[in-house]
Amino acid sequence: ITYRYGVDGVAFEGRSLEPWDFGIQGAGKVRAFSAEHPPGSRVEVAYDPRDPRRSYLMPGPSTTALTMASIGLALLAVGFLLGRIARRA
């Protein structure tokens, strides 16, 4: 997905659907967003005010980031439990 936007009279081009998507855009999400916002339609672009080149169309944590965080928390919990079991043995 590609979009153009302007900040203070400067033109930019973006390609990120969500922040922290690690460059991975799910085809389903792109299709759903494109269906709601056909080419040429106006959309709100979220951008970093300190670096307007960083932009995205869907503010909030990405599905990929949430998945990675969930996996990390699950691994941390397993490690904690295994550590407790090892100390009891």
Side-chain angles (χ1 to χ4, degrees):
I1 195 161
T2 302
Y3 52 92
R4 287 179 290 231
Y5 61 102
V7 177
D8 296 330
V10 179
F12 294 93
E13 187 173 279
R15 290 186 173 83
S16 295
L17 192 58
E18 301 175 297
W20 307 107
D21 64 5
F22 304 103
I24 303 167
Q25 293 182 8
K29 279 196 172 197
V30 171
R31 273 195 300 274
F33 190 88
S34 296
E36 291 179 30
H37 308 283
S41 63
R42 291 183 157 276
V43 296
E44 189 170 320
V45 176
Y47 64 89
D48 183 345
R50 290 171 285 163
D51 183 5
R53 294 171 297 173
R54 294 183 55 190
S55 64
Y56 40 89
L57 297 174
M58 298 174 68
S62 71
T63 305
T64 305
L66 291 173
T67 301
M68 299 290 257
S70 297
I71 290 170
L73 287 172
L75 290 173
L76 184 66
V78 168
F80 177 76
L81 289 173
L82 289 175
R84 288 186 59 98
I85 291 170
R87 275 184 262 147
R88 287 184 189 178

